[in-house]
Amino acid sequence: MTDLTDQFNRPLRDLRISVTDRCNFRCTYCMPKEVFNSKYQFLVRDDLLSFEEITRLVPLFVEHGVHKLRLTGGEPLLRKNLEVLIRELVKIPGIDDIALTTNASILTLEKAKELKQAGLNRITVSLDAINENTFKRMNDMDVSVQKVLNGIDNARVAGFESVKVNMVVQKNRNEEDIVAMAEYFKGSGNVLRFIEYMDVGNTNGWEMDQVVSGKEIIDRIQQKFPIEPADPNYRGEVAKRWRYQDGSGEIGVITSVTQAFCQDCTRLRLSAEGSLYTCLFASTGTDVRRLLREGASDEYISEVIASLWKSRTDRYSELRGKNTDAIHKVEMSYIGG
Ligand code: SAM
Ligand code: SF4
Ligand code: SF4
């Protein structure tokens, strides 16, 4: 295996695979209804990479250093038989961790058990509020908090030791839920992570003054529950860890806006229709589905991946605001976060 690095000496380590661009939520910061409505052209079945195509591609990424996979979307649990894909991915030598990011609203106990048995290692659930009205306003599809909490419980019962819970924080939207969410998950064994609202895509109308900084989030929690910084679990960990001084667990803060971490970014993203993106804020992808369907050899596709990573210079979050405003960016629901 060659240790492939990009123009800033960052190795390729993680691959995020989007398995669908569809979702049963319309989170206002991700898929606003004004855009993602009945007129929106979602991908159709033939557009999507098949499980066989994904399984053929993954070893080519492993050759270049990938050892962690994350399945995402849209809502990945809308892709039928996801456990069948996971069963194939775990067999690939060199893959030592497979995670899933989901809104958990359709994560039944049966599904959670199937995913666990297939070999899924970890589940991250997105939940933006514990207050019913706030959550319904944010998902914009009238989905109740309890549905997501049931999904989290199902994951735990199925054997996932701890679930990470992601909360995107937006000013004047769910700020009041910062402490309430901390209180709810404190002592549960699940790890709540606060994410600064990002300017991904072109549809959410992002403004800097809607961002609640990681510092402000920590200050708010500190006032109610004493916390102290904890060491990262590994170099380049995206979330900054804080632990409750009373020993009842930890939280994380992902400061993608106020303290960018591009220098440690080791992720490549594969869209549901088979395009590769080297940054969450990229505007164009590299079409590997075409290569697959036109009969390109593994060697050739492997070279394409290597040259894409080697020429990578992405550091959007570090440059944010400096001539980045006019860039047409790919949507989060398409690329998977
Ligand atoms: N539907 C799944 C879910 O929500 O967990 C997976 C896909 S979703 C695009 C992946 C992650 O992106 C979620 O945790 C979501 O909160 C996050 N996300 C989406 N839009 C965002 C934004 N504008 N700023 C920060 N995080 C965002
Ligand atoms: Fe769907 Fe996830 Fe986007 Fe919400 S954040 S609209 S659940 S893809
Ligand atoms: Fe990585 Fe791009 Fe995010 Fe920077 S802005 S951390 S390069 S995905």
Side-chain angles (χ1 to χ4, degrees), residues 61-306:
F61 295 103
V62 172
E63 274 176 24
H64 299 302
V66 165
H67 63 102
K68 284 164 84 167
L69 302 177
R70 179 171 290 275
L71 303 174
T72 176
E75 174 43 49
L77 295 181
L78 290 180
R79 182 82 187 248
K80 279 207 189 94
N81 305 324
L82 192 64
E83 60 287 353
V84 172
L85 173 64
I86 294 169
R87 236 180 273 139
E88 292 307 312
L89 295 175
V90 293
K91 289 185 204 154
I92 297 173
I95 293 298
D96 51 36
D97 186 45
I98 306 180
L100 172 76
T101 308
T102 171
N103 65 36
S105 60
I106 50 171
L107 185 57
T108 59
L109 181 55
E110 192 191 355
K111 190 72 176 180
K113 284 181 179 167
E114 282 169 2
L115 295 169
K116 180 77 189 163
Q117 275 160 14
L120 183 70
N121 301 105
R122 296 181 297 124
I123 297 188
T124 300
V125 172
S126 303
L127 175 65
D128 296 322
I130 200 79
N131 175 285
E132 186 74 355
N133 292 334
T134 309
F135 184 57
K136 285 189 169 170
R137 263 203 308 277
M138 288 185 83
N139 70 57
D140 215 8
M141 287 298 262
D142 212 34
V143 181
S144 68
V145 172
Q146 195 55 50
K147 266 214 158 132
V148 178
L149 296 178
N150 290 346
I152 296 173
D153 288 347
N154 290 339
R156 292 291 297 270
V157 173
F160 293 94
E161 269 174 32
S162 167
V163 173
K164 284 187 182 141
V165 180
N166 281 354
M167 169 180 178
V168 176
V169 184
Q170 274 183 296
K171 194 146 268 170
N172 300 327
R173 280 238 141 200
N174 60 347
E175 267 172 300
E176 296 312 317
D177 275 51
I178 294 173
V179 172
M181 284 279 281
E183 188 157 22
Y184 184 85
F185 287 105
K186 190 171 178 288
S188 68
N190 299 320
V191 177
L192 177 62
R193 304 183 325 159
F194 300 92
I195 304 182
E196 289 179 351
Y197 172 40
M198 286 187 283
D199 49 337
V200 276
N202 311 283
T203 57
N204 60 17
W206 182 92
E207 298 279 353
M208 186 66 204
D209 63 10
Q210 297 165 329
V211 177
V212 181
S213 71
K215 182 180 176 316
E216 214 177 317
I217 293 168
I218 291 300
D219 287 349
R220 274 178 181 252
I221 294 175
Q222 194 74 271
Q223 280 170 23
K224 179 90 192 261
F225 307 113
I227 47 175
E228 60 194 16
D231 290 335
N233 285 316
Y234 54 89
R235 187 185 158 239
E237 188 174 25
V238 168
K240 293 187 186 68
R241 299 172 61 211
W242 291 76
R243 74 166 82 84
Y244 292 109
Q245 286 179 12
D246 66 5
S248 60
E250 65 178 76
I251 56 169
V253 189
I254 304 180
T255 55
S256 359
V257 178
T258 62
Q259 287 173 281
F261 36 78
C262 298
Q263 73 274 12
D264 284 324
C265 182
T266 57
R267 290 184 187 154
L268 186 56
R269 296 171 163 88
L270 179 64
S271 77
E273 60 176 339
S275 281
L276 284 173
Y277 290 82
T278 57
C279 180
L280 201 48
F281 298 90
S283 36
T284 50
T286 299
D287 185 358
V288 286
R289 186 190 63 186
R290 187 178 58 79
L291 300 179
L292 286 169
R293 295 189 184 173
E294 286 178 357
S297 66
D298 285 357
E299 292 71 26
Y300 182 75
I301 299 173
S302 177
E303 273 170 35
V304 170
I305 295 167

Side-chain angles (χ1 to χ4, degrees), residues 3-39:
D3 207 10
L4 192 68
T5 53
D6 68 9
Q7 293 292 304
F8 296 127
N9 212 24
R10 296 169 295 193
L12 172 58
R13 291 285 179 259
D14 323 60
L15 180 68
R16 297 205 154 184
I17 304 173
S18 173
V19 290
T20 178
D21 64 337
R22 290 169 194 257
C23 190
N24 56 338
F25 282 20
R26 287 292 177 272
C27 300
T28 49
Y29 55 77
C30 177
M31 296 180 82
K33 269 187 185 162
E34 305 84 81
V35 178
F36 295 89
N37 50 33
S38 56
K39 295 199 188 97

